[in-house]
Amino acid sequence: MDILDGLNPAQKEAVEAINGPVLILAGPGSGKTRVITHRVAYLIRVVGVNPRSIMAVTFTNKAAREMEERLNRLVSASVRDLTLGTFHAICARILRQDGKAIGVDKKFSIYDDDDQISLIKRSLQDLALDPKQFAPRALQSVISSAKSQMQEPSDLHGKSYFDEVTKRVYERYQRLLTDSAALDFDDLLLKTVLLFRQNPKILERYQQRYMHIQVDEFQDTNLVQYELVKQLAGKYRNVCVVGDPDQSIYSWRAADIRNILNFEKDFPDAKVILLEQNYRSTQLILDAATHVISANKQRKPKELWTENEKGLPPNVIETYSAEEEAQWVVSEIDKLVRSGEAKSSDCAVMYRTNAQSRALEEAFIRYGMPYKLVAGTRFYERREVKDVIAYLRLIQNPYDTVSLRRVINVPQRGIGERSLDELTRWAESQGVNEYKALQLLAQSNESSEELPFSARTVKVLSGFAVMIENFIEKSRELDMVKLFDHVVEKSGYKQYITGLVDGEDRWENVMELRGVAQDYRDLPPEEGLTALLEGVALVSDVDDLPEKVDTVTLITLHQAKGLEFPVVFIIGMEEGILPHYKSIDDPAQLEEERRLCYVGITRAKQKVYLVRAFRRHLMGSSTVNKPSRFLLDIPPELIERGGVTAKEDEWIAAAEAKEKEIQLDGELPEFKAGDHVRHDQFGEGVVVNYRKTRNDAEVVVAFDGEGVKRFLLSFAKIEKV
DNA sequence: CGCAAGTACCTTTTT
DNA sequence: GGTACTTGCG
């Protein structure tokens, strides 16, 4: 059977174990994607399972598309009948289909982060709470994590005032969502679980249909997703989950590594298969990665091995500043390309935070070397793109208040904050939502009634309502592209956006969105709109990564999960960056940082560069960073060192400094504004500001004739005069 | 109500 | 070094 050809025994076992629960623990590069794909192919071609009965859940849409392509080659026919996608996409489909059983409107909008924040702000407003005291972002993350653990507002039993506030905001927020006929990302999952819970018959239909379920990246699923898996697999129990605890990097998004442990508990008869042979990386890269991950305490030991050649040792490169770091990376890539050792597209530069990409971009541009950036300012987060999407969302779901408020005055129609507030209040007094209120206004053109608006305001508000009504009518007959053009034109948005200073760029973005709309042109009008909106709501940044172009890839470590490159540069190998300073105090989070580093190293097939900078500008001020502890976990003999500022002894010094770090704390001299001080290089000056940081303190000093300088006390020699 | 200029706050990672 | 929000004036 050619489907099993070229698989090793463990992989074969994983492909053939199609009856009953299966847990596949797969190390990086062990061919797990291959296993899942071949399993599905095996089910269809060898076992003769109807593709309609198979569900395969992936982490990104891109992974889904890739699997589809591979399957097309393996089984060619009827791949279209598979259910293949992310949890969110699959749930959205289920809810469109059957959501009405729990009161979910068929035309619900999907709210992203931004939309959530604006609803939370409105909740705070409604509850007369100060957004400065209760940061919307923080509330959003608390609410989201509650939802990810299937907690309703009433399940929150915190005792502090903040907990109480959270509970009330959560309640109000959920109310606003419902009124807007909208679901946030968490709701997509949660509502589906609730749908199944409350409607056993519907659940049974899906159970009956999906006789074979596979879940990729299982280590990054949350409680709700796991619950969903259990529900769907409840009848046939043919469920295969694939994951690697060492690559769990989304706990901050409520992913729960315990799902893997619980799987064996919930399915005691589960067959456990280990995939430990790595086909991706060279021996030395794998060794380095193993040393890094082995330092984690909370971990089941796992033996990865490879038959690949020994290869080249990882390079540790030390540079002076972030700029120099970027420049070094670019020139090294240039060298590799010129010597023919690698193509541009073989190379990826990975980093912990998106902010780090800027210095890189500048270096690439200066060098004239092309690159592709995964998610800079994300396309779908651009203002003009969101605006047009908001118009489209309103057509599908006019109760969508976030979209309504977004565009009701864009372009300016003379509807300011006051009129809007007035509208909200009036709508509430009439017991209707804002859109219905607008329609009422439009119908009451007698204007004899007592309305709290000026005649002019009534006119513009009605005008808006009539326009949207008109769009809705058009949406029933026009294809996506025609509708798109109609809306952009008749709303006055085109004229508005092209009239702005950077109008051309922005208009180009609008046209790019139009290009996306083209993909939905052939669908029946209303379906096309739904599909487009769902598509844009659920895309991730990696999804848009252009595959074919021969350029370097710039990508965060998180986004790099599941990808591989011959040559990998990980930059910012410093304490405070990787591991990120926000994780340093918490052992559990620190382990996740380590896994992130592990994920990065194991992306590489042939060559890894670990790059760090001494000095880095963060938020305006300059910091000096020690080398990442993860570098110290790799035995020196496995590493080749280089770079602009490398010194032999520094390595040891850094390790010693790490030891001393704790003792250093609290023994720093203290200064206050106004103190006269002396610095070896700059002479005498006056302290302008003094601020304690985590393990250090920052002093700002104004020197005579030298200007104002900023120092870290642990590095700068500053003494009182 | 709109716009320009100033200010606080920030930055982890994303479906 | 940027943005999202506030302030003040026309």
Side-chain angles (χ1 to χ4, degrees):
Chain A
M1 231 349 94
D2 53 350
I3 284 175
L4 295 174
D5 280 356
L7 297 178
N8 70 30
Q11 291 174 330
K12 262 185 204 157
E13 191 189 356
V15 168
E16 290 176 307
I18 52 156
N19 288 315
V22 181
L23 168 63
I24 301 175
L25 294 170
S30 61
K32 76 187 156 72
T33 315
R34 192 152 176 243
V35 163
I36 299 185
T37 320
H38 282 247
R39 249 182 92 91
V40 174
Y42 183 82
L43 282 169
I44 298 172
R45 277 249 320 254
V46 180
V47 188
V49 173
N50 183 346
R52 259 185 61 82
S53 310
I54 300 173
M55 175 186 285
V57 187
T58 56
F59 195 69
T60 60
N61 299 298
K62 182 176 182 244
R65 269 205 311 271
E66 275 171 12
M67 192 182 292
E68 195 177 340
E69 272 168 38
R70 288 204 206 188
L71 279 169
N72 257 325
R73 262 173 277 143
L74 283 168
V75 292
S76 62
S78 56
V79 165
R80 217 173 300 151
D81 292 337
L82 287 167
T83 298
L84 190 60
T86 63
F87 273 111
H88 291 86
I90 292 172
C91 286
R93 222 175 302 156
I94 293 174
L95 289 173
R96 294 252 185 249
Q97 195 58 234
D98 291 295
K100 57 184 175 304
I102 51 162
V104 171
D105 192 310
K106 206 184 177 93
K107 305 211 154 189
F108 64 84
S109 298
I110 299 174
Y111 278 2
D112 69 8
D113 259 37
D114 261 16
D115 304 325
Q116 286 184 56
I117 294 287
S118 73
L119 268 200
I120 285 173
K121 282 183 185 156
R122 288 231 337 262
S123 308
L124 288 169
Q125 221 172 32
D126 292 351
L127 298 169
L129 291 162
D130 181 7
K132 276 185 193 130
Q133 207 178 344
F134 303 100
R137 287 223 146 273
L139 287 163
Q140 188 244 348
S141 110
V142 175
I143 291 171
S144 169
S145 100
K147 285 187 174 187
S148 304
Q149 292 167 72
M150 292 189 279
Q151 291 174 323
E152 313 248 332
S154 57
D155 295 320
L156 298 180
H157 304 293
K159 352 155 208 349
S160 71
Y161 182 50
F162 182 79
D163 295 329
E164 182 55 31
V165 166
T166 308
K167 186 173 172 174
R168 276 160 55 195
V169 173
Y170 183 0
E171 254 162 18
R172 180 79 206 170
Y173 166 76
Q174 204 59 38
R175 164 100 230 156
L176 291 176
L177 270 181
T178 312
D179 289 349
S180 303
L183 302 180
D184 62 22
F185 286 139
D186 300 307
D187 281 344
L188 290 177
L189 309 170
L190 194 54
K191 296 283 180 190
T192 309
V193 166
L194 294 178
L195 167 73
F196 288 157
R197 250 192 216 168
Q198 290 164 20
N199 300 274
K201 275 191 190 143
I202 297 179
L203 172 60
E204 217 204 310
R205 219 172 67 223
Y206 281 96
Q207 287 177 328
Q208 189 61 40
R209 168 163 177 191
Y210 293 116
M211 289 191 278
H212 295 275
I213 298 167
Q214 358 276 316
V215 184
D216 197 5
E217 307 286 7
F218 189 63
Q219 77 281 354
D220 285 321
T221 54
N222 67 29
L223 226 65
V224 187
Q225 290 166 330
Y226 182 40
E227 182 62 27
L228 204 60
V229 170
K230 282 192 286 188
Q231 286 179 325
L232 285 170
K235 190 177 167 88
Y236 288 106
R237 303 177 85 252
N238 295 326
V239 54
C240 169
V241 300
V242 188
D244 178 5
D246 287 336
Q247 293 184 65
S248 152
I249 54 175
Y250 282 96
S251 73
W252 50 273
R253 214 174 82 190
D256 201 326
I257 212 166
R258 283 173 303 179
N259 284 347
I260 288 195
L261 306 172
N262 287 335
F263 188 84
E264 284 185 83
K265 238 186 274 164
D266 294 326
F267 299 93
D269 54 329
K271 182 177 270 186
V272 181
I273 297 169
L274 297 167
L275 299 181
E276 293 178 305
Q277 181 175 2
N278 175 296
Y279 294 95
R280 181 184 296 148
S281 311
T282 61
Q283 187 70 59
L284 284 174
I285 290 173
L286 203 58
D287 282 353
T290 304
H291 275 103
V292 169
I293 197 66
S294 299
N296 268 355
K297 303 240 155 46
Q298 301 286 93
R299 158 172 197 269
K300 261 196 208 169
K302 182 168 53 184
E303 283 307 318
L304 276 180
W305 57 279
T306 184
E307 285 174 353
N308 291 347
E309 58 175 357
K310 195 165 173 228
L312 301 162
N315 272 53
V316 172
I317 305 299
E318 313 184 306
T319 62
Y320 188 71
S321 63
E323 291 70 33
E324 204 181 88
E325 177 185 60
Q327 206 181 317
W328 187 88
V329 168
V330 175
S331 65
E332 180 69 12
I333 292 175
D334 189 44
K335 223 158 61 183
L336 291 172
V337 173
R338 275 171 199 276
S339 70
E341 285 171 80
K343 286 186 298 181
S344 296
S345 54
D346 291 341
C347 305
V349 189
M350 303 179 183
Y351 35 84
R352 174 67 234 264
T353 66
N354 277 307
Q356 288 171 261
S357 67
R358 191 186 304 149
L360 278 173
E361 281 192 89
E362 281 168 13
F364 274 97
I365 290 167
R366 206 159 346 124
Y367 232 89
M369 187 184 285
Y371 62 91
K372 57 191 163 212
L373 180 73
V374 185
T377 12
R378 306 184 181 116
F379 179 68
Y380 291 105
E381 275 170 29
R382 299 237 163 94
R383 209 183 68 207
E384 57 277 17
V385 176
K386 291 209 83 167
D387 286 344
V388 176
I389 290 174
Y391 272 110
L392 297 176
R393 287 211 310 209
L394 267 185
I395 294 172
Q396 190 190 43
N397 170 20
Y399 300 162
D400 181 337
T401 51
V402 170
S403 296
L404 180 82
R405 292 175 90 98
R406 184 175 183 101
V407 294
I408 195 165
N409 200 32
V410 181
Q412 291 93 327
R413 302 185 172 92
I415 304 166
E417 195 127 1
R418 262 207 359 243
S419 309
L420 253 179
D421 283 349
E422 206 56 64
L423 173 70
T424 312
R425 217 167 319 147
W426 185 69
E428 219 158 289
S429 76
Q430 303 296 108
V432 295
N433 63 39
E434 283 157 0
Y435 185 70
K436 280 202 182 126
L438 285 178
Q439 286 181 309
L440 285 181
L441 279 182
Q443 283 150 21
S444 75
N445 45 8
E446 328 281 298
S447 79
S448 55
E449 294 163 69
E450 277 177 41
L451 296 169
F453 308 102
S454 68
R456 192 190 70 90
T457 311
V458 173
K459 202 175 152 213
V460 281
L461 288 175
S462 313
F464 185 77
V466 170
M467 179 180 75
I468 297 297
E469 235 6 89
N470 174 294
F471 289 167
I472 292 174
E473 268 168 43
K474 286 276 187 266
S475 75
R476 300 207 179 93
E477 46 194 76
L478 296 182
D479 71 52
M480 243 349 277
V481 177
K482 289 202 180 99
L483 180 66
F484 188 98
D485 291 339
H486 182 83
V487 167
V488 169
E489 185 75 41
K490 298 289 186 228
S491 62
Y493 196 77
K494 179 179 181 180
Q495 206 183 6
Y496 158 76
I497 206 80
T498 47
L500 296 179
V501 261
D502 45 0
E504 273 184 40
D505 290 342
R506 290 178 183 278
W507 180 244
E508 251 173 57
N509 288 327
V510 174
M511 285 297 99
E512 201 174 325
L513 183 63
R514 184 180 186 270
V516 177
Q518 259 164 3
D519 296 344
Y520 300 88
R521 173 181 238 157
D522 298 332
L523 291 170
E526 279 172 284
E527 250 174 72
L529 181 59
T530 305
L532 170 69
L533 290 175
E534 202 149 296
V536 300
L538 299 175
V539 279
S540 70
D541 301 310
V542 251
D543 294 338
D544 287 338
L545 194 61
E547 210 66 29
K548 305 271 145 43
V549 239
D550 182 30
T551 59
V552 181
T553 301
L554 273 44
I555 193 170
T556 67
L557 287 161
H558 282 88
Q559 293 166 334
K561 190 180 71 162
L563 306 179
E564 60 176 28
F565 299 89
V567 182
V568 169
F569 294 80
I570 303 177
I571 65 166
M573 290 296 300
E574 298 143 44
E575 290 291 297
I577 305 284
L578 183 67
H580 194 268
Y581 73 97
K582 287 221 170 180
S583 306
I584 277 179
D585 300 326
D586 180 348
Q589 283 189 52
L590 202 57
E591 297 218 334
E592 181 147 319
E593 297 286 314
R594 189 183 292 285
R595 292 194 290 269
L596 198 51
C597 181
Y598 175 72
V599 166
I601 295 173
T602 53
R603 296 312 91 198
K605 292 161 112 165
Q606 280 148 29
K607 183 75 189 161
V608 170
Y609 296 88
L610 304 167
V611 193
R612 75 174 181 100
F614 274 119
R615 194 174 258 292
R616 190 175 290 279
H617 297 281
L618 274 174
M619 280 188 273
S621 67
S622 163
T623 44
V624 175
N625 293 330
K626 300 189 175 76
S628 167
R629 66 191 73 192
F630 305 146
L631 287 175
L632 305 176
D633 292 327
I634 309 173
E637 62 270 21
L638 280 182
I639 290 174
E640 195 167 292
R641 306 201 293 115
V644 191
T645 49
K647 279 186 232 108
E648 274 304 314
D649 300 338
E650 196 201 13
W651 211 238
I652 303 137
E656 282 169 358
K658 191 175 149 192
E659 296 292 311
K660 273 195 207 139
E661 197 177 335
I662 308 131
Q663 290 145 29
L664 198 79
D665 198 11
E667 288 175 17
L668 294 167
E670 290 201 17
F671 295 97
K672 60 179 187 300
D675 282 352
H676 287 263
V677 294
R678 188 200 320 279
H679 182 272
D680 282 355
Q681 195 187 333
F682 300 115
E684 289 194 15
V686 181
V687 173
V688 179
N689 196 14
Y690 171 83
R691 192 166 63 88
K692 278 202 162 173
T693 57
R694 187 175 306 275
N695 298 312
D696 212 326
E698 187 188 87
V699 220
V700 181
V701 185
F703 293 101
D704 308 334
E706 297 279 350
V708 180
K709 307 274 177 199
R710 199 182 286 265
F711 302 101
L712 280 176
L713 268 190
S714 57
F715 285 86
K717 282 185 214 115
I718 293 171
E719 46 189 50
K720 272 185 203 172
V721 184

